[in-house]
Amino acid sequence: MCGIHGFCWKDNNEAMMRMLTLAQHRGPDGFSSWNDDKITLGHNLLAITAKSNNASQPRHYGDYVLLFNGEVYNHKRLRKELSGPFRAESDTETLAVGLAQVGVEFLYRVDGMFALAFYNKATGDLILARDTNGAKPLYYGYLGNNLAFSSEIKSLLSLGFPRRVSKEGFKHYYHAGLVAGRLTLFEGISRLLPGEVIQTNVIS
């Protein structure tokens, strides 16, 4: 269980540090962040199958930056389909290289559980995605026209999302004991669906 976080504006690191601190339980093995003029990304690390120095994130590969929460079960086989180069043995590296070389279609080759963000520094293109089983959570919303996302709703709330109950979300919870689909209990915050991919551009 790791945590991934991001928002589409440049930050002095205070806002991202709040997000990382609130999600510290998701990753006791370290945290880090990165930003350019258009986006700020952060990651809480829980190292399971790789040493923390090999799985550290955000993971950079050329013009691309990856945030990844999960595990790719078939990553060693997938490596044989890619040209590399590889600097580590982690599934994080395999996923970064695969997405950079193949594109979003690479996700359909992945056997695993994941939530991820993949950013192209050169073009400003951003991909958010979850695996088809929806094992790993990913929430998102907009502050003004600016997208923000996180593994934790409380980390999103720390950015200034209104703490207002979603009437539709509460109605689902009241009748079914759960909040289904994209809905959450908070107005303005949505859940990425299992298997869903969102592609956007942080410049336009």
Side-chain angles (χ1 to χ4, degrees), residues 48 62 140 148 152 159 201:
I48 298 176
Y140 68 96
E152 292 279 341
L159 294 176
N201 187 283

Short mmCIF file of all heavy atoms in Angstrom, two decimals, residues 48 62 140 148 152 159 201:
data_model
loop_
_atom_site.label_atom_id
_atom_site.label_comp_id
_atom_site.label_asym_id
_atom_site.label_seq_id
_atom_site.Cartn_x
_atom_site.Cartn_y
_atom_site.Cartn_z
N ILE A 48 7.73 -3.37 -0.79
CA ILE A 48 7.40 -4.77 -0.53
C ILE A 48 8.27 -5.70 -1.37
O ILE A 48 9.03 -6.49 -0.85
CB ILE A 48 5.91 -5.05 -0.84
CG1 ILE A 48 5.03 -4.20 0.09
CG2 ILE A 48 5.58 -6.53 -0.65
CD1 ILE A 48 3.55 -4.33 -0.19
N GLY A 62 13.22 9.55 -19.08
CA GLY A 62 13.22 10.53 -20.16
C GLY A 62 12.34 11.71 -19.83
O GLY A 62 12.49 12.34 -18.77
N TYR A 140 -10.27 12.08 -7.27
CA TYR A 140 -9.87 13.28 -7.98
C TYR A 140 -10.98 14.33 -7.93
O TYR A 140 -12.14 14.03 -7.62
CB TYR A 140 -9.53 12.95 -9.44
CG TYR A 140 -10.72 12.53 -10.28
CD1 TYR A 140 -11.40 13.44 -11.08
CD2 TYR A 140 -11.17 11.21 -10.26
CE1 TYR A 140 -12.49 13.05 -11.84
CE2 TYR A 140 -12.25 10.81 -11.02
CZ TYR A 140 -12.91 11.74 -11.81
OH TYR A 140 -14.00 11.35 -12.56
N ALA A 148 -6.81 17.84 -9.32
CA ALA A 148 -6.01 17.30 -8.22
C ALA A 148 -6.45 15.86 -7.99
O ALA A 148 -7.61 15.51 -8.22
CB ALA A 148 -6.22 18.12 -6.94
N GLU A 152 -5.95 9.29 -1.09
CA GLU A 152 -6.69 9.57 0.14
C GLU A 152 -7.57 10.80 -0.02
O GLU A 152 -7.09 11.87 -0.44
CB GLU A 152 -5.72 9.81 1.31
CG GLU A 152 -4.93 8.59 1.74
CD GLU A 152 -5.75 7.68 2.65
OE1 GLU A 152 -6.76 8.14 3.22
OE2 GLU A 152 -5.34 6.51 2.79
N LEU A 159 -6.18 20.39 0.41
CA LEU A 159 -5.88 21.38 -0.62
C LEU A 159 -6.90 22.51 -0.65
O LEU A 159 -6.69 23.52 -1.33
CB LEU A 159 -5.85 20.71 -1.99
CG LEU A 159 -4.73 19.69 -2.24
CD1 LEU A 159 -4.90 19.05 -3.60
CD2 LEU A 159 -3.37 20.34 -2.11
N ASN A 201 -4.66 17.18 -20.44
CA ASN A 201 -3.45 17.96 -20.65
C ASN A 201 -3.43 19.12 -19.67
O ASN A 201 -4.41 19.86 -19.57
CB ASN A 201 -3.38 18.47 -22.10
CG ASN A 201 -2.07 19.15 -22.42
OD1 ASN A 201 -1.83 20.27 -22.04
ND2 ASN A 201 -1.19 18.43 -23.09
#
